[in-house]
Amino acid sequence: MSERTLAIIKPDAVAKHVIGDIIQRYESAGLHPIALKMVRLSKKDAEGFYSVHSERPFFNDLTTYMASGSVVVLVLEGKNAIAKNRDLMGATDPKKAKAGTIRAAHGASIEANAVHGSDAIETANFEIGYFFPEFK
């Protein structure tokens, strides 16, 4: 079944100039970008996006990090897009990510782990709408 998911290429990966490699990995896996933009999130934007984690101890560090540099936000479409993207990303901790995953290749730490991806249909719907209201 074709579905959509949101992906974010995080500030660390943008700073390393690996945007093209990451997008190539999506496309090679059959995930087609149907919307894409580079933005610099404000702290408030990052807090709104990650509001589900507002009570978690890492919330402030995460939102500060996400506002620290430009990010590339994409809507990916393809068969089983959410699960496929989660597999491509690898474990949250790049040290535990399988070889060949985006995070194993480009992540530096649990926070600076190169990419974000939606984890469920409901999350994807919220996240896509947050950055691309035309897809609501």
Side-chain angles (χ1 to χ4, degrees):
M1 167 170 88
S2 185
E3 63 188 13
R4 292 177 178 165
T5 190
L6 186 91
I8 301 176
I9 302 174
K10 293 183 176 183
D12 60 297
V14 172
K16 288 188 221 174
H17 307 289
V18 294
I19 297 166
D21 178 66
I22 293 171
I23 292 173
Q24 176 61 43
R25 289 169 185 256
Y26 296 145
E27 291 182 319
S28 293
L31 297 175
H32 309 289
I34 60 168
L36 178 150
K37 62 184 170 184
M38 180 179 274
V39 296
R40 176 82 185 246
L41 300 176
S42 68
K43 175 85 161 143
K44 184 178 178 183
D45 292 336
E47 288 171 347
F49 181 75
Y50 286 107
S51 62
V52 67
H53 298 302
S54 64
E55 300 301 318
R56 308 285 291 269
F58 58 81
F59 181 72
N60 186 58
D61 288 344
L62 172 63
T63 55
T64 298
Y65 163 69
M66 290 300 290
S68 71
S70 296
V71 298
V72 176
V73 186
L74 306 95
V75 177
L76 301 172
E77 186 173 73
K79 186 175 180 181
N80 299 312
I82 295 168
K84 192 174 286 184
N85 187 38
R86 303 291 294 175
D87 287 343
L88 279 173
M89 289 191 310
T92 303
D93 182 348
K95 293 178 184 83
K96 297 177 182 174
K98 290 181 185 174
T101 63
I102 295 169
R103 288 176 171 156
H106 300 301
S109 67
I110 290 176
E111 185 176 87
N113 61 9
V115 289
H116 164 90
S118 304
D119 62 1
I121 289 173
E122 299 77 20
T123 311
N125 290 337
F126 166 78
E127 292 179 348
I128 291 168
Y130 193 84
F131 287 106
F132 299 95
E134 64 271 25
F135 285 100
K136 279 188 173 181

